[in-house]
Amino acid sequence: MKTWGITGWKNSGKTGLVERLVAHFVAEGLTVSTIKHAHHSFDVDHPGRDSYRHRDAGASEVILASRNRIAQMTELRGADEPRLDDLIARLRPCDLVLIEGYKTARHPKIEAHRAATGQPLIAPGDATIRAVASDTAPTGLSVPVLPLDDTAAIAAFIRAGLSL
């Protein structure tokens, strides 16, 4: 499976870009999976639901299944956060895995950048960033700058980079 990341600071447009790229690549006939890193505690389950009660009782893993979807929840219970490669290995085969976040992982990435965040660019100090997708035109970079809202151009850049 081929992987490509979208990274950047909070509110830089990462999620919107990933969403648009998934829709774009799927419309082109590719199968796409995603992995998103969260820096905060999150829960996809709700107190009182059966699956929540299973986890709350101490289950290490809970699989919730229906004819429409399957969700697998794993409680780390103090164990180390899984490595990105281990998470990718859990996915069913697909054409492309888009990864949101994981700034320090070593896969190729595009940095999403919005000037309004006031954050500096990550690209100058990170060789895994192959382009910057920005709402401005930053200068002095050794990588291409693409318009943040030009999904087709960003998708074409990824396709070329991965020979898709």
Side-chain angles (χ1 to χ4, degrees):
M1 293 186 293
K2 297 188 178 197
T3 61
W4 196 279
I6 304 299
T7 195
W9 300 110
K10 182 178 180 180
N11 297 322
S12 62
K14 297 180 304 291
T15 299
L17 178 55
V18 170
E19 180 181 16
R20 293 190 319 270
L21 287 169
V22 168
H24 182 94
F25 286 126
V26 168
E28 289 183 339
L30 296 178
T31 55
V32 180
S33 293
T34 65
I35 296 175
K36 179 185 176 12
H37 188 256
H39 290 286
H40 47 80
S41 180
F42 70 93
D43 205 332
V44 296
D45 210 357
H46 304 284
R49 305 302 297 184
D50 294 349
S51 52
Y52 183 95
R53 291 170 60 193
H54 294 185
R55 289 188 306 124
D56 195 44
S60 296
E61 292 190 312
V62 175
I63 294 177
L64 181 60
S66 74
R67 68 173 165 227
N68 296 320
R69 71 189 47 88
I70 298 168
Q72 181 174 355
M73 295 168 278
T74 304
E75 290 296 316
L76 296 179
R77 304 208 189 278
D80 290 340
E81 182 176 345
R83 295 178 318 115
L84 179 58
D85 288 343
D86 295 332
L87 296 174
I88 292 169
R90 291 181 178 197
L91 295 172
R92 291 187 354 197
C94 62
D95 297 313
L96 176 62
V97 178
L98 290 173
I99 302 162
E100 181 178 338
Y102 288 94
K103 285 183 192 82
T104 61
R106 305 312 304 162
H107 57 280
K109 303 175 194 78
I110 290 177
E111 178 181 357
H113 176 262
R114 287 192 194 281
T117 67
Q119 293 288 348
L121 285 164
I122 300 166
D126 187 339
T128 66
I129 295 177
R130 307 292 166 80
V132 171
S134 182
D135 62 351
T136 62
T139 59
L141 294 172
S142 62
V143 296
V145 176
L146 306 167
L148 182 58
D149 292 327
D150 191 345
T151 306
I154 296 167
F157 185 85
I158 293 170
R159 269 191 173 276
L162 293 175
S163 301
L164 278 173

Tab-separated table of all heavy atoms in Angstrom, residues 80-111:
chain	number	residue	atom	x	y	z
A	80	ASP	N	2.304	1.600	25.300
A	80	ASP	CA	2.762	2.622	24.372
A	80	ASP	C	1.793	2.777	23.209
A	80	ASP	O	1.147	1.817	22.775
A	80	ASP	CB	4.143	2.256	23.805
A	80	ASP	CG	5.237	2.362	24.846
A	80	ASP	OD1	5.041	3.062	25.863
A	80	ASP	OD2	6.291	1.733	24.645
A	81	GLU	N	1.724	3.994	22.688
A	81	GLU	CA	0.926	4.252	21.486
A	81	GLU	C	1.517	3.439	20.333
A	81	GLU	O	2.743	3.368	20.195
A	81	GLU	CB	0.988	5.747	21.155
A	81	GLU	CG	0.173	6.139	19.958
A	81	GLU	CD	0.189	7.645	19.719
A	81	GLU	OE1	0.581	8.412	20.619
A	81	GLU	OE2	-0.201	8.048	18.618
A	82	PRO	N	0.683	2.800	19.516
A	82	PRO	CA	1.217	1.993	18.407
A	82	PRO	C	1.990	2.847	17.400
A	82	PRO	O	1.670	4.016	17.191
A	82	PRO	CB	-0.033	1.408	17.741
A	82	PRO	CG	-1.157	1.648	18.665
A	82	PRO	CD	-0.771	2.769	19.570
A	83	ARG	N	2.991	2.239	16.795
A	83	ARG	CA	3.749	2.908	15.735
A	83	ARG	C	2.868	3.011	14.495
A	83	ARG	O	1.987	2.177	14.259
A	83	ARG	CB	5.016	2.129	15.398
A	83	ARG	CG	6.030	2.055	16.537
A	83	ARG	CD	7.279	1.222	16.208
A	83	ARG	NE	6.961	-0.006	15.501
A	83	ARG	CZ	7.343	-0.274	14.238
A	83	ARG	NH1	8.057	0.577	13.552
A	83	ARG	NH2	7.023	-1.420	13.681
A	84	LEU	N	3.122	4.011	13.692
A	84	LEU	CA	2.348	4.216	12.473
A	84	LEU	C	2.397	2.976	11.576
A	84	LEU	O	1.373	2.550	11.040
A	84	LEU	CB	2.848	5.450	11.709
A	84	LEU	CG	2.125	5.762	10.406
A	84	LEU	CD1	0.631	5.960	10.607
A	84	LEU	CD2	2.754	6.996	9.763
A	85	ASP	N	3.561	2.362	11.418
A	85	ASP	CA	3.676	1.158	10.580
A	85	ASP	C	2.772	0.030	11.078
A	85	ASP	O	2.200	-0.712	10.275
A	85	ASP	CB	5.123	0.663	10.526
A	85	ASP	CG	6.020	1.570	9.702
A	85	ASP	OD1	5.493	2.376	8.916
A	85	ASP	OD2	7.245	1.460	9.852
A	86	ASP	N	2.634	-0.094	12.388
A	86	ASP	CA	1.763	-1.121	12.944
A	86	ASP	C	0.294	-0.824	12.632
A	86	ASP	O	-0.493	-1.733	12.371
A	86	ASP	CB	1.960	-1.257	14.451
A	86	ASP	CG	3.356	-1.760	14.805
A	86	ASP	OD1	3.958	-2.479	13.985
A	86	ASP	OD2	3.834	-1.417	15.902
A	87	LEU	N	-0.071	0.446	12.648
A	87	LEU	CA	-1.446	0.822	12.312
A	87	LEU	C	-1.731	0.580	10.827
A	87	LEU	O	-2.801	0.073	10.471
A	87	LEU	CB	-1.696	2.287	12.673
A	87	LEU	CG	-1.599	2.610	14.157
A	87	LEU	CD1	-1.708	4.117	14.373
A	87	LEU	CD2	-2.639	1.861	14.959
A	88	ILE	N	-0.773	0.917	9.982
A	88	ILE	CA	-0.939	0.678	8.539
A	88	ILE	C	-1.119	-0.817	8.284
A	88	ILE	O	-1.948	-1.220	7.470
A	88	ILE	CB	0.255	1.255	7.749
A	88	ILE	CG1	0.233	2.785	7.828
A	88	ILE	CG2	0.231	0.783	6.294
A	88	ILE	CD1	1.501	3.454	7.324
A	89	ALA	N	-0.373	-1.641	8.996
A	89	ALA	CA	-0.459	-3.095	8.818
A	89	ALA	C	-1.836	-3.638	9.184
A	89	ALA	O	-2.224	-4.711	8.708
A	89	ALA	CB	0.616	-3.786	9.645
A	90	ARG	N	-2.598	-2.923	9.995
A	90	ARG	CA	-3.945	-3.365	10.369
A	90	ARG	C	-4.968	-3.148	9.251
A	90	ARG	O	-6.053	-3.722	9.298
A	90	ARG	CB	-4.436	-2.601	11.602
A	90	ARG	CG	-3.714	-2.935	12.865
A	90	ARG	CD	-4.307	-2.127	13.988
A	90	ARG	NE	-3.680	-2.425	15.261
A	90	ARG	CZ	-4.197	-2.121	16.425
A	90	ARG	NH1	-5.358	-1.502	16.500
A	90	ARG	NH2	-3.567	-2.430	17.535
A	91	LEU	N	-4.642	-2.267	8.314
A	91	LEU	CA	-5.597	-1.926	7.255
A	91	LEU	C	-5.694	-3.023	6.206
A	91	LEU	O	-4.708	-3.697	5.916
A	91	LEU	CB	-5.173	-0.621	6.562
A	91	LEU	CG	-5.188	0.635	7.423
A	91	LEU	CD1	-4.567	1.797	6.645
A	91	LEU	CD2	-6.604	0.974	7.865
A	92	ARG	N	-6.883	-3.156	5.638
A	92	ARG	CA	-7.045	-4.048	4.489
A	92	ARG	C	-6.321	-3.422	3.306
A	92	ARG	O	-6.162	-2.194	3.230
A	92	ARG	CB	-8.528	-4.216	4.168
A	92	ARG	CG	-9.244	-5.004	5.232
A	92	ARG	CD	-10.673	-5.349	4.925
A	92	ARG	NE	-11.227	-4.783	3.723
A	92	ARG	CZ	-12.517	-4.703	3.469
A	92	ARG	NH1	-13.379	-5.135	4.346
A	92	ARG	NH2	-12.956	-4.193	2.355
A	93	PRO	N	-5.859	-4.234	2.359
A	93	PRO	CA	-5.154	-3.687	1.198
A	93	PRO	C	-5.994	-2.629	0.466
A	93	PRO	O	-7.210	-2.772	0.330
A	93	PRO	CB	-4.930	-4.914	0.313
A	93	PRO	CG	-4.930	-6.065	1.263
A	93	PRO	CD	-5.931	-5.702	2.329
A	94	CYS	N	-5.330	-1.576	0.049
A	94	CYS	CA	-5.976	-0.497	-0.697
A	94	CYS	C	-4.927	0.136	-1.595
A	94	CYS	O	-3.741	-0.189	-1.512
A	94	CYS	CB	-6.599	0.531	0.249
A	94	CYS	SG	-5.414	1.369	1.316
A	95	ASP	N	-5.366	1.057	-2.444
A	95	ASP	CA	-4.428	1.730	-3.342
A	95	ASP	C	-3.605	2.801	-2.631
A	95	ASP	O	-2.438	3.004	-2.943
A	95	ASP	CB	-5.182	2.385	-4.509
A	95	ASP	CG	-5.902	1.374	-5.362
A	95	ASP	OD1	-5.282	0.349	-5.710
A	95	ASP	OD2	-7.093	1.589	-5.680
A	96	LEU	N	-4.231	3.491	-1.687
A	96	LEU	CA	-3.586	4.640	-1.060
A	96	LEU	C	-4.053	4.794	0.381
A	96	LEU	O	-5.247	4.698	0.658
A	96	LEU	CB	-3.926	5.915	-1.841
A	96	LEU	CG	-3.426	7.245	-1.286
A	96	LEU	CD1	-1.903	7.291	-1.234
A	96	LEU	CD2	-3.973	8.400	-2.140
A	97	VAL	N	-3.103	5.046	1.272
A	97	VAL	CA	-3.414	5.400	2.655
A	97	VAL	C	-2.993	6.853	2.844
A	97	VAL	O	-1.821	7.192	2.677
A	97	VAL	CB	-2.660	4.505	3.672
A	97	VAL	CG1	-2.990	4.940	5.101
A	97	VAL	CG2	-2.984	3.037	3.459
A	98	LEU	N	-3.970	7.707	3.150
A	98	LEU	CA	-3.678	9.103	3.472
A	98	LEU	C	-3.581	9.220	4.985
A	98	LEU	O	-4.450	8.738	5.713
A	98	LEU	CB	-4.777	10.026	2.935
A	98	LEU	CG	-4.822	10.164	1.423
A	98	LEU	CD1	-6.050	10.968	0.992
A	98	LEU	CD2	-3.553	10.806	0.888
A	99	ILE	N	-2.516	9.847	5.448
A	99	ILE	CA	-2.214	9.931	6.870
A	99	ILE	C	-2.267	11.391	7.294
A	99	ILE	O	-1.527	12.221	6.761
A	99	ILE	CB	-0.817	9.343	7.152
A	99	ILE	CG1	-0.757	7.887	6.684
A	99	ILE	CG2	-0.457	9.487	8.623
A	99	ILE	CD1	0.645	7.355	6.508
A	100	GLU	N	-3.145	11.685	8.241
A	100	GLU	CA	-3.252	13.062	8.740
A	100	GLU	C	-2.515	13.170	10.065
A	100	GLU	O	-2.768	12.401	10.994
A	100	GLU	CB	-4.717	13.454	8.926
A	100	GLU	CG	-4.865	14.885	9.416
A	100	GLU	CD	-6.294	15.341	9.579
A	100	GLU	OE1	-7.207	14.756	8.958
A	100	GLU	OE2	-6.508	16.288	10.364
A	101	GLY	N	-1.617	14.138	10.134
A	101	GLY	CA	-0.834	14.325	11.348
A	101	GLY	C	0.484	13.587	11.251
A	101	GLY	O	1.107	13.558	10.199
A	102	TYR	N	0.909	12.984	12.326
A	102	TYR	CA	2.171	12.236	12.382
A	102	TYR	C	3.327	13.058	11.803
A	102	TYR	O	4.034	12.619	10.908
A	102	TYR	CB	2.034	10.887	11.676
A	102	TYR	CG	1.202	9.899	12.452
A	102	TYR	CD1	-0.154	9.764	12.198
A	102	TYR	CD2	1.777	9.124	13.449
A	102	TYR	CE1	-0.931	8.862	12.928
A	102	TYR	CE2	1.015	8.220	14.177
A	102	TYR	CZ	-0.349	8.107	13.906
A	102	TYR	OH	-1.095	7.218	14.637
A	103	LYS	N	3.509	14.249	12.352
A	103	LYS	CA	4.552	15.164	11.868
A	103	LYS	C	5.950	14.534	11.827
A	103	LYS	O	6.719	14.814	10.928
A	103	LYS	CB	4.619	16.407	12.753
A	103	LYS	CG	3.516	17.396	12.567
A	103	LYS	CD	3.771	18.614	13.469
A	103	LYS	CE	2.583	19.515	13.554
A	103	LYS	NZ	1.596	19.045	14.525
A	104	THR	N	6.276	13.705	12.816
A	104	THR	CA	7.650	13.198	12.909
A	104	THR	C	7.867	11.864	12.191
A	104	THR	O	8.991	11.393	12.120
A	104	THR	CB	8.072	13.048	14.392
A	104	THR	OG1	7.198	12.113	15.025
A	104	THR	CG2	8.033	14.384	15.104
A	105	ALA	N	6.802	11.260	11.674
A	105	ALA	CA	6.959	9.993	10.949
A	105	ALA	C	7.675	10.250	9.624
A	105	ALA	O	7.702	11.370	9.117
A	105	ALA	CB	5.596	9.348	10.715
A	106	ARG	N	8.258	9.218	9.046
A	106	ARG	CA	9.176	9.389	7.920
A	106	ARG	C	8.551	9.163	6.541
A	106	ARG	O	9.264	9.025	5.570
A	106	ARG	CB	10.389	8.464	8.101
A	106	ARG	CG	11.147	8.621	9.413
A	106	ARG	CD	11.508	10.034	9.823
A	106	ARG	NE	12.264	10.765	8.834
A	106	ARG	CZ	12.398	12.073	8.804
A	106	ARG	NH1	11.806	12.818	9.702
A	106	ARG	NH2	13.108	12.649	7.877
A	107	HIS	N	7.250	9.143	6.403
A	107	HIS	CA	6.603	8.998	5.092
A	107	HIS	C	6.563	10.355	4.373
A	107	HIS	O	6.692	11.404	5.011
A	107	HIS	CB	5.188	8.427	5.257
A	107	HIS	CG	4.321	9.262	6.146
A	107	HIS	ND1	4.394	9.214	7.513
A	107	HIS	CD2	3.378	10.182	5.853
A	107	HIS	CE1	3.522	10.077	8.024
A	107	HIS	NE2	2.894	10.674	7.040
A	108	PRO	N	6.372	10.353	3.046
A	108	PRO	CA	6.289	11.629	2.322
A	108	PRO	C	5.013	12.383	2.713
A	108	PRO	O	3.964	11.771	2.941
A	108	PRO	CB	6.260	11.220	0.851
A	108	PRO	CG	5.795	9.814	0.841
A	108	PRO	CD	6.237	9.205	2.143
A	109	LYS	N	5.124	13.714	2.759
A	109	LYS	CA	4.022	14.540	3.233
A	109	LYS	C	3.891	15.822	2.421
A	109	LYS	O	4.853	16.295	1.817
A	109	LYS	CB	4.252	14.957	4.691
A	109	LYS	CG	4.436	13.865	5.682
A	109	LYS	CD	4.763	14.461	7.046
A	109	LYS	CE	5.284	13.452	8.009
A	109	LYS	NZ	6.674	13.113	7.800
A	110	ILE	N	2.693	16.375	2.499
A	110	ILE	CA	2.437	17.753	2.087
A	110	ILE	C	2.067	18.503	3.353
A	110	ILE	O	1.266	18.006	4.163
A	110	ILE	CB	1.292	17.828	1.050
A	110	ILE	CG1	1.764	17.232	-0.276
A	110	ILE	CG2	0.815	19.264	0.872
A	110	ILE	CD1	0.702	17.179	-1.350
A	111	GLU	N	2.635	19.670	3.524
A	111	GLU	CA	2.289	20.496	4.681
A	111	GLU	C	1.145	21.422	4.314
A	111	GLU	O	1.253	22.203	3.370
A	111	GLU	CB	3.491	21.324	5.137
A	111	GLU	CG	3.153	22.235	6.302
A	111	GLU	CD	4.313	23.093	6.781
A	111	GLU	OE1	5.434	22.950	6.249
A	111	GLU	OE2	4.090	23.920	7.688
